[in-house]
Amino acid sequence: MNKARSNPLNTFAMHGALILYTLIALFPVFVILINSFKTRKAIFREPLALPDADSFSLIGYQTVMKQGDFFLYFQNSMIVTVASLTLVLLFGAMAAYALSEYKFRGSTLLGLYLALGIMIPIRIGTVAILEMMVASGLVNTLWALILVYTAQGLPLAVFILSEFMKQVSDDLKNAGRIDGLSEYTIFFRLVLPLVRPAMATVAVFNMIPIWNDLWFPLILAPAEETKTLTLGSQVFIGQFVTNWNAVLSALSLAILPVLVLYMIFSRQLIRGITSGAVK
Amino acid sequence: MSRPSQSGTPQTVAQAGAMAAAAPQAAAAAAPATKKRRRPHLHVVVFLAPAVLIYTAVMIFPLFNTLRLALYTRIDQERVWAGLANFQTLFFDPIWSEQFWNALGNNFWFFLVHMLVQNPIGIALAALLSHPRLRFAALYRSAIFIPTILSFVIVGFAWKLILSPIWGIAPSMLDAVGLKSLFAPWLGKEEYALTTLALISVWQFVGIPMMLIYAALLSIPEEVLEAGEIDGITGFAAFWKIKLPLILPSIGIISILTFVGNFNAFDLIYASQGALAGPDFSTDILGTFMYRTFFGFQLQLGDPHMGSAIASAMFAIILVGVCIYLFGIQTRMRRYQL
């Protein structure tokens, strides 16, 4: 065994550096969370202390529950995220299958056309998107957001999924064809179940940007009944900027769902990134 | 799933964009040999139609429509052709050009801070994490990635509170290490605000370069490192002389991702400083400038045509950056067959 690679002093220094950075990464989240459970006085007197019997208070959460419609915002965010992900996965997988399974005139060109959107942010087209949504009456509906996020997620989904679909054995598909299955059945019954891990990776990659987006909710659906959680907390905090209890509680409520999602999916997410998503 | 054997297969999702340029040759070469080339059947059309339609209608068409709208202007509620007049106004009319160049300059500084701080820290963390036999690596990795999953709204406000002189967390922490004199209301001072925001954004996104580099480092075969060890190259030297050259392609990808992300940024500035990107526009970047222009703010009415002109400029900048990367860097970079 090599000495330089297992020197205890090195190991110690490495852990020291990593712990330090982990603290830097988690500190702000920690401060927000603990202070959201304190009285106003305690927030200012001892910002770094944990809430105890004396300083514990839920006044901030009460204000948030009374003043802001966080359940509605949460529901909107849920609908938009789930619907967009479903459409991205379904349509993305269908297109990826067509591109990887059938070769036809222009298929390479079509693949390139769909890949264009990986590098070009959809936000550049916002002015025309807004104009289109106003013209079609979709502005201030969740559909506007769902359509935009679907379009935004498709290029990468098609790219990743078609890499995976190329690896599905031809023999399997041909066996299905000999048994008289239609192309649709082959896709839905044979191919889709085999690329499920890739679908999960695509879903996790798309989920966080959609959930966290502020730009499109702000521009396309700012109405009270279509606010997403991100926009809703932004507006709420803007209005209650001097009410520290309410602001801290609103922040904590906004952190919570993402944190829960992350804990459920972090393994998938990290495996997706580190395994190269394309394996 | 089998491991991709040829170097052309993308290693990371992020590489996807980079690979787009290399795709045509590869696909063209592979196509005739392996797949049967036929006329599209109905089911092919059915499979492709939804994705192509939504993508074209909601992404590609508005993109070009925005570029087109930049060439018009509104006079008395009528849309009239204006040629390049909007761009002339944007670049040369003192009222507009001052804001535009300010935003562009700020944006470059924003990008530079990310390149100089975020990516080196990301690489360093990845190098530590990829060390064999390091315990708790998964735990560190997951914890350090947490800021990346939070929304800009949360990050912006959380840091605004922490740095606020009213609450006093930052000053009292500096006081604890005897550096209280260094404290200033960083987000409120023109000379510091932009850099502070850039560093907050670095704090948030350091997880992305960390993960991508980590993946690249893991893919370096053990034999290569062992061969170096036999020649006496270990520790730091091994990192500089063996690992770093091998992960250069990933660093290139991170740079272009940072570039596109930064020149398209908006949310953090808007969430913490508002649409006016205060103090006195010192944190204004192209995203906030475009938002203000096309959506309007306070008493100024929104102007979709000037907004489109700014969007077109952003499009051009991003396109130039991506092209420099694809043709200038990516094709020249030496790739090692691992």
Side-chain angles (χ1 to χ4, degrees):
Chain A
M1 184 162 297
N2 187 286
K3 225 169 47 184
R5 279 223 252 163
S6 56
N7 186 333
L9 202 70
N10 270 355
T11 316
F12 186 72
M14 284 194 322
H15 279 287
L18 285 169
I19 289 171
L20 179 74
Y21 198 85
T22 306
L23 288 180
I24 296 176
L26 296 184
F27 173 73
V29 180
F30 174 74
V31 169
I32 299 296
L33 287 178
I34 59 167
N35 280 294
S36 69
F37 290 106
K38 291 202 245 172
T39 59
R40 190 183 163 81
K41 242 192 218 154
I43 289 172
F44 283 96
R45 198 172 343 108
E46 293 253 295
L48 293 179
L50 286 169
D52 53 29
D54 209 22
S55 61
F56 181 82
S57 156
L58 288 175
I59 177 89
Y61 288 97
Q62 284 159 2
T63 318
V64 171
M65 288 302 156
K66 231 183 306 160
Q67 304 288 337
D69 211 342
F70 273 70
F71 286 114
L72 178 69
Y73 304 157
F74 181 81
Q75 192 188 327
N76 287 338
S77 278
M78 253 346 230
I79 293 173
V80 168
T81 310
V82 171
S84 317
L85 285 182
T86 312
L87 293 182
V88 166
L89 288 177
L90 177 65
F91 296 161
M94 283 163 61
Y97 182 67
L99 287 176
S100 61
E101 176 64 15
Y102 315 110
K103 287 292 159 195
F104 48 90
R105 204 170 302 151
S107 60
T108 318
L109 209 64
L110 192 62
L112 263 187
Y113 171 70
L114 286 172
L116 259 182
I118 297 176
M119 269 296 162
I120 299 167
I122 193 169
R123 283 184 188 184
I124 302 285
T126 305
V127 177
I129 292 178
L130 177 65
E131 203 166 76
M132 187 171 80
M133 294 299 175
V134 171
S136 58
L138 286 177
V139 83
N140 276 330
T141 64
L142 296 179
W143 274 109
L145 296 177
I146 294 170
L147 282 173
V148 166
Y149 295 139
T150 306
Q152 169 184 282
L154 277 172
L156 196 60
V158 171
F159 191 88
I160 295 177
L161 291 175
S162 59
E163 288 292 324
F164 272 91
M165 298 218 179
K166 279 181 196 148
Q167 295 168 2
V168 174
S169 113
D170 273 342
D171 294 344
L172 179 73
K173 287 174 277 193
N174 288 335
R177 290 194 181 105
I178 292 168
D179 285 348
L181 299 183
S182 73
E183 293 296 316
Y184 304 106
T185 322
I186 292 175
F187 170 69
F188 282 107
R189 303 287 287 277
L190 298 182
V191 178
L192 266 195
L194 285 174
V195 295
R196 246 193 334 229
M199 306 265 281
T201 304
V202 172
V204 173
F205 273 130
N206 277 302
M207 185 167 64
I208 295 167
I210 294 177
W211 184 275
N212 283 342
D213 189 40
L214 178 62
W215 175 266
F216 283 113
L218 186 65
I219 288 166
L220 297 179
E224 183 60 27
E225 60 275 15
T226 52
K227 271 188 193 131
T228 60
L229 188 60
T230 307
L231 178 62
S233 38
Q234 202 269 336
V235 172
F236 179 86
I237 293 168
Q239 284 167 355
F240 282 79
V241 79
T242 49
N243 185 341
W244 286 61
N245 293 97
V247 168
L248 290 166
S249 307
L251 282 175
S252 305
L253 281 180
I255 292 175
L256 216 64
V258 204
L259 218 53
V260 170
L261 283 179
Y262 178 64
M263 281 172 185
I264 299 172
F265 292 110
S266 74
R267 182 172 292 221
Q268 187 69 45
L269 176 77
I270 287 170
R271 199 171 3 160
I273 303 176
T274 53
S275 73
V278 193
K279 247 218 180 133
Chain B
M1 303 278 161
S2 67
R3 233 183 123 77
S5 50
Q6 78 276 39
S7 61
T9 310
Q11 291 289 316
T12 63
V13 190
Q15 254 165 317
M19 298 312 297
Q25 300 94 317
T34 56
K35 301 278 172 177
K36 43 270 148 186
R37 188 173 285 268
R38 37 187 150 120
R39 208 181 281 257
H41 286 282
L42 179 66
H43 57 261
V44 183
V45 178
V46 172
F47 278 133
L48 282 169
V52 172
L53 284 181
I54 292 186
Y55 172 74
T56 308
V58 186
M59 183 151 183
I60 298 296
F61 173 71
L63 183 66
F64 285 100
N65 203 17
T66 302
L67 300 183
R68 187 182 67 91
L69 284 177
L71 303 176
Y72 287 81
T73 190
R74 192 163 44 188
I75 299 172
D76 302 331
Q77 307 302 317
E78 293 275 327
R79 180 169 286 175
V80 288
W81 173 260
L84 294 174
N86 288 333
F87 291 99
Q88 199 176 1
T89 314
L90 186 62
F91 298 139
F92 303 109
D93 181 333
I95 302 171
W96 286 93
S97 70
E98 198 186 318
Q99 287 193 73
F100 176 74
W101 297 115
N102 172 46
L104 187 64
N106 286 344
N107 224 147
F108 267 106
W109 176 244
F110 198 69
F111 171 61
L112 203 67
V113 172
H114 279 80
M115 288 299 284
L116 294 180
V117 184
Q118 170 189 286
N119 296 346
I121 292 181
I123 293 168
L125 288 172
L128 289 178
L129 284 176
S130 68
H131 195 279
R133 295 187 298 281
L134 177 86
R135 301 182 67 195
F136 312 121
L139 196 68
Y140 290 129
R141 212 173 49 191
S142 307
I144 293 174
F145 202 72
I146 283 183
T148 311
I149 61 158
L150 300 178
S151 80
F152 294 95
V153 174
I154 299 170
V155 170
F157 275 104
W159 276 102
K160 206 174 162 179
L161 297 183
I162 288 169
L163 295 177
S164 152
I166 306 173
W167 198 6
I169 286 196
S172 61
M173 287 186 70
L174 281 175
D175 198 20
V177 287
L179 292 171
K180 192 171 186 187
S181 56
L182 284 183
F183 180 80
W186 287 299
L187 282 174
K189 292 255 188 192
E190 270 176 56
E191 58 269 46
Y192 303 129
L194 181 65
T195 313
T196 310
L197 282 169
L199 290 175
I200 293 173
S201 169
V202 166
W203 170 83
Q204 183 178 10
F205 285 116
V206 96
I208 289 176
M210 179 186 82
M211 288 293 187
L212 294 179
I213 296 288
Y214 176 71
L217 285 172
L218 285 189
S219 70
I220 299 177
E222 191 65 13
E223 299 90 70
V224 176
L225 300 174
E226 277 168 9
E229 266 174 35
I230 292 170
D231 290 340
I233 305 172
T234 54
F236 256 115
F239 178 76
W240 285 110
K241 293 191 175 147
I242 302 175
K243 292 180 185 168
L244 201 61
L246 288 174
I247 58 169
L248 273 185
S250 303
I251 296 179
I253 288 152
I254 288 166
S255 309
I256 189 64
L257 282 181
T258 313
F259 182 83
V260 175
N262 285 167
F263 276 88
N264 173 34
F266 160 80
D267 310 50
L268 178 68
I269 313 266
Y270 180 79
S272 60
Q273 306 292 71
L276 283 175
D280 194 21
F281 299 110
S282 64
T283 56
D284 201 19
I285 58 173
L286 290 172
T288 46
F289 180 40
M290 170 178 143
Y291 175 81
R292 253 193 349 262
T293 306
F294 117 84
F295 221 58
F297 66 99
Q298 289 173 0
L299 294 174
Q300 183 187 317
L301 278 177
D303 181 344
H305 300 291
M306 279 311 279
S308 300
I310 299 169
S312 307
M314 288 165 75
F315 180 63
I317 292 167
I318 291 174
L319 212 57
V320 167
V322 172
C323 286
I324 290 177
Y325 168 72
L326 285 181
F327 302 114
I329 301 174
Q330 207 227 355
T331 50
R332 294 205 191 146
M333 200 137 40
R334 214 185 302 182
R335 278 173 185 279
Y336 298 87
Q337 195 104 33
L338 290 180

